[in-house]
Amino acid sequence: MDTSTDFKSDFKQKIKKNPAWYSLLFTLFFFFLMPEYISPFILFTAFIIFKRQWSREGRLAKVGNIGKIEMAFMGLMLVSTLWSPTKLDTLGSSGLWWAVLLIQVMIFNLARTRERINRVLQVILASAAINGAVGAIQFVTFVLYANGYTPAWSVLPTPLFRDLDTVVYTVMPFKISTFMWTNRASGFFSNPNLLASFMLVAFPLGVYLLLNARTRQKKRLCFTALTLISFGMASTQTRAGCYVLIAAWLALFIIFFKRHSGTLAALFIPAGGSSIFALLVRYGKINIYPNVTFLPVSPEEALLSTARHFEIWSGLIDYLTHHIGAFIFGTGFGCEQTGNILLNSYNLKKPHAHNFVIEIWTELGLIGIVILLFIIVYALGKLLEIDTKDYKALTLQFSVLASFGSLLIFGLSDYIFNSPKQIILFMMLIGIIQAISYTYDKKEIQRTKDVGKLTKESFKNIISQ
């Protein structure tokens, strides 16, 4: 009897029975492995499969309360086209948000059991681990080449789709920057900071899977994946990302110290070790290019980058406080006008605010940033409502909180909605939070003081378990 044939037949039957679920998993895995201009089409295809199955079964796709608020937020994006001086960029950027919302809808409607939520997290972890591994190889092969140990052909390109990206971005009807690093890895992404965003989101989710792995083999797989993610984060040499990853590890170590101190301490060897190494390289304390006269990375470059960030923030705040219309309604959605303001008014050739709060405020005004912050607080509130008497629910709550928090904190030094692969991280996490809220027992927040009460209960459960 051919067991492999039976397995294939059984798998095909599962896909045929529930194509929407498997198309979701396929999308979550490959979205982060394809170029930015191909990934959305994978999502569109998956959503069509999902919608057809839902229609055939007589079901309606739900967006939830958070989704409805997001749709109002994205409606404002489209309306801002009326006063935007860069209308094509505004329409294109708005369209990306509407498109990527589909992943949130699919997760919320399809991942409605604990097993399915775990499977979603496993697929995300696997995709992140592959990105991390590729990023590490990009970094190591470049260092070897730069020091004269290996030939140029041995360097794994960064971005991986460098040549294809250049061709595609050149023929686009609007301007897209094709500046690409050679010494800072970006995995399957087009920019090191984009890869860093994914590594930061995936790391805490991987910690949850590691702490709840039931077999040694699964623990080893999770630990290996987290190691690759850590190496991928370090290979980007993104300072803020390295700091945030260390902070996320520290927060989870403190929270889960009682049961998992040994496992998390062991995880610090690759996670903390690689991040600290990357920071020392970035600040010039370790020289990994001893045979190179011109350093691809220098401490002066790192300090200059920090100074530029403060110039950008102060410039845009100055602009908003002196233009009442922009302050309240924004200049129109999309980064292009922000870049124009920075260049024309402050002589700063930068594409965006390097801070998601200031960027959204510039684009959509006070109205837009208030709505976005409300969405974030609402999502965090849904996560806080989860009943954490069950230890697995407790680890899930804090791991997803660490993941969401890592993305948002990183977004205070870099714009985290700069591409489909970054926007989907935000939507993906909210979809996961919605699925968790639907699946797990919860105590609903009725009044503001309930927030403090539920927070205290969660920390009591940490101490008692």
Side-chain angles (χ1 to χ4, degrees):
M1 187 175 182
D2 191 344
T3 56
S4 62
T5 303
D6 289 344
F7 173 78
K8 289 179 182 178
S9 177
D10 184 51
F11 187 63
K12 286 180 180 179
Q13 287 300 317
K14 287 182 179 179
I15 294 176
K16 190 175 181 180
K17 185 178 179 180
N18 197 351
W21 168 243
Y22 289 97
S23 65
L24 170 63
L25 297 181
F26 180 89
T27 302
L28 287 171
F29 182 75
F30 282 102
F31 196 96
F32 302 106
L33 302 179
M34 294 289 108
E36 317 274 355
Y37 37 83
I38 293 177
S39 294
F41 294 100
I42 296 175
L43 175 56
F44 296 155
T45 303
F47 188 78
I48 291 170
I49 294 171
F50 160 73
K51 193 67 176 66
R52 288 182 66 180
Q53 179 179 331
W54 245 230
S55 298
R56 187 172 64 249
E57 295 175 1
R59 293 197 271 182
L60 295 175
K62 298 179 180 179
V63 296
N65 290 333
I66 303 178
K68 292 173 184 176
I69 302 169
E70 285 175 287
M71 291 174 74
F73 177 62
M74 294 185 294
L76 177 61
M77 295 177 186
L78 289 172
V79 172
S80 73
T81 307
L82 297 174
W83 59 83
S84 171
T86 55
K87 297 186 186 302
L88 186 60
D89 180 57
T90 298
L91 286 172
S93 300
S94 303
L96 281 179
W97 277 72
W98 281 98
V100 176
L101 178 68
L102 302 179
I103 197 69
Q104 180 179 324
V105 175
M106 290 178 69
I107 292 173
F108 179 40
N109 284 270
L110 291 168
R112 292 199 163 191
T113 66
R114 298 188 181 196
E115 293 75 17
R116 287 195 171 188
I117 291 171
N118 277 6
R119 186 55 59 86
V120 164
L121 301 184
Q122 288 166 3
V123 169
I124 294 169
L125 182 66
S127 187
I130 293 172
N131 263 285
V134 169
I137 295 170
Q138 289 171 330
F139 175 72
V140 171
T141 54
F142 175 80
V143 172
L144 292 174
Y145 160 70
N147 283 285
Y149 295 122
T150 56
W153 60 261
S154 66
V155 178
L156 188 63
T158 178
L160 195 65
F161 305 111
R162 168 183 287 269
D163 295 334
L164 183 60
D165 288 349
T166 302
V167 173
V168 172
Y169 293 157
T170 301
V171 300
M172 286 288 187
F174 42 84
K175 185 179 178 181
I176 296 179
S177 174
T178 55
F179 176 77
M180 301 175 188
W181 285 260
T182 54
N183 57 294
R184 294 176 59 196
S186 55
F188 290 87
F189 289 71
S190 59
N191 179 295
N193 289 350
L194 306 189
L195 175 61
S197 302
F198 188 30
M199 300 296 96
L200 291 174
V201 166
F203 184 81
L205 303 181
V207 170
Y208 160 76
L209 293 171
L210 173 66
L211 300 185
N212 290 281
R214 295 182 178 180
T215 65
R216 287 186 178 181
Q217 183 183 14
K218 288 182 179 179
K219 274 190 176 292
R220 290 193 198 101
L221 286 172
C222 290
F223 194 93
T224 301
L226 287 166
T227 298
L228 294 174
I229 288 169
S230 301
F231 289 170
M233 179 68 251
S235 70
T236 69
Q237 297 182 65
T238 303
R239 291 165 298 150
C242 290
Y243 285 126
V244 173
L245 187 136
I246 292 172
W249 171 86
L250 181 60
L252 293 172
F253 178 78
I254 293 171
I255 292 169
F256 302 127
F257 177 84
K258 188 174 180 180
R259 282 201 186 187
H260 302 288
S261 57
T263 300
L264 290 170
L267 182 60
F268 185 75
I269 297 172
S274 60
S275 292
I276 292 170
F277 173 78
L279 290 169
L280 291 173
V281 168
R282 199 71 201 278
Y283 287 112
K285 303 303 181 182
I286 294 178
N287 182 12
I288 58 175
Y289 302 102
N291 302 323
V292 181
T293 53
F294 174 77
L295 293 178
V297 176
S298 67
E300 292 78 15
E301 177 266 339
L303 294 173
L304 180 62
S305 176
T306 300
R308 283 285 181 270
H309 277 50
F310 283 105
E311 289 179 22
I312 292 168
W313 300 338
S314 62
L316 288 173
I317 290 172
D318 174 75
Y319 184 88
L320 289 171
T321 52
H322 286 84
H323 295 80
I324 188 64
F327 184 89
I328 297 175
F329 301 105
T331 60
F333 194 64
C335 296
E336 188 176 346
Q337 181 59 14
T338 303
N340 292 339
I341 292 169
L342 289 170
L343 181 61
N344 299 328
S345 300
Y346 303 98
N347 198 30
L348 293 169
K349 194 175 181 180
K350 296 293 179 180
H352 50 69
H354 286 274
N355 178 296
F356 83 94
V357 175
I358 297 176
E359 181 64 42
I360 294 297
W361 197 325
T362 304
E363 294 179 13
L364 294 176
L366 183 63
I367 297 172
I369 192 59
V370 167
I371 297 174
L372 177 60
L373 294 178
F374 182 78
I375 291 169
I376 292 169
V377 171
Y378 196 108
L380 293 176
K382 299 301 288 184
L383 192 59
L384 190 61
E385 287 179 340
I386 304 304
D387 190 342
T388 55
K389 289 180 181 179
D390 173 51
Y391 189 75
K392 189 172 182 179
L394 181 71
T395 56
L396 181 60
Q397 181 191 63
F398 277 96
S399 296
V400 174
L401 178 63
S403 178
F404 201 27
S406 294
L407 178 65
L408 297 175
I409 292 170
F410 181 63
L412 297 178
S413 67
D414 191 71
Y415 188 47
I416 51 172
F417 305 130
N418 204 28
S419 79
K421 287 185 179 180
Q422 278 188 308
I423 301 169
I424 202 173
L425 293 174
F426 182 77
M427 301 292 190
M428 184 178 74
L429 284 171
I430 293 183
I432 291 170
I433 290 171
Q434 286 180 299
I436 293 170
S437 178
Y438 177 87
T439 304
Y440 283 77
D441 294 333
K442 58 182 180 290
K443 300 177 181 178
E444 293 188 6
I445 296 174
Q446 302 290 344
R447 295 164 294 180
T448 305
K449 66 179 183 179
D450 291 341
V451 175
K453 182 180 178 182
L454 291 176
T455 303
K456 287 180 182 178
E457 284 186 14
S458 291
F459 279 103
K460 283 181 181 179
N461 289 333
I462 292 170
I463 296 169
S464 64
Q465 294 188 54

